Amino acid sequence: MPTKFPTLLVERKNDYKTWVPIYCPAIRAYVFFNMQGFNHLRFKIDNTPRKPKEAMYKLGLLPLVRPVIHTATSVDKYERRLSPIGGTRKKVLKEIEYWGLVASVGKQNTKVRVVLRKIVRGQNIHFWSVMKG
């Protein structure tokens, strides 16, 4: 598995960099794809690396992210809270909104959850995370 990880990482990163914003009917807004979201697949919120198995799991689900955003018709979970940002050990707290979208997508009709994030008084809504279920 460790030898597959760097290859998968490079492939997914190159693909991800080509993604353009797409409209999400569930939140009635465009979702952007920045490197913060991609990096969150590899690193936890405190900037510690995820285990390669966990990172590969998330990278493997990446092709299903856009179909979930495009087809989700409602928000499964919404939260607004103070969260640390910046990736440093020095915790900078900002008010952040999170949306959880769930849809069954792909060839196997897999149930996938996508998390979107918006830093209040900051950026656009952007992709943050992906997982099954």
Side-chain angles (χ1 to χ4, degrees):
M1 180 174 55
T3 56
K4 290 181 184 176
F5 180 66
T7 305
L8 181 65
L9 180 63
V10 168
E11 286 173 4
R12 293 292 195 245
K13 189 175 192 175
N14 288 339
D15 182 46
Y16 185 86
K17 285 179 176 180
T18 68
W19 292 10
V20 296
I22 62 169
Y23 187 76
C24 176
I27 60 172
R28 295 186 197 96
Y30 279 88
V31 175
F32 291 75
F33 300 96
N34 60 24
M35 289 315 290
Q36 288 176 325
F38 186 85
N39 290 336
H40 185 65
L41 302 177
R42 293 207 40 233
F43 299 94
K44 297 177 186 175
I45 197 74
D46 64 356
N47 216 25
T48 57
R50 295 185 189 277
K51 292 182 175 134
K53 188 175 180 181
E54 182 185 4
M56 279 189 73
Y57 162 78
K58 289 185 174 292
L59 290 169
L61 291 172
L62 203 54
L64 301 176
V65 166
R66 288 184 295 183
V68 170
I69 293 170
H70 189 68
T71 60
T73 55
S74 64
V75 174
D76 183 60
K77 185 177 181 185
Y78 172 81
E79 197 174 326
R80 185 173 176 147
R81 68 173 191 250
L82 282 177
S83 291
I85 66 158
T88 61
R89 303 236 182 255
K90 183 173 73 176
K91 300 224 190 281
V92 176
L93 295 177
K94 296 243 179 171
E95 195 172 9
I96 301 177
E97 291 180 279
Y98 296 93
W99 292 264
L101 308 174
V102 178
S104 294
V105 293
K107 291 176 189 161
Q108 278 108 27
N109 215 25
T110 308
K111 190 173 179 183
V112 177
R113 173 181 297 275
V114 170
V115 178
L116 307 176
R117 179 178 98 149
K118 180 184 190 313
I119 299 169
V120 177
R121 290 187 219 95
Q123 313 160 331
N124 296 308
I125 297 170
H126 61 270
F127 162 75
W128 185 240
S129 193
V130 61
M131 63 221 65
K132 282 189 181 173

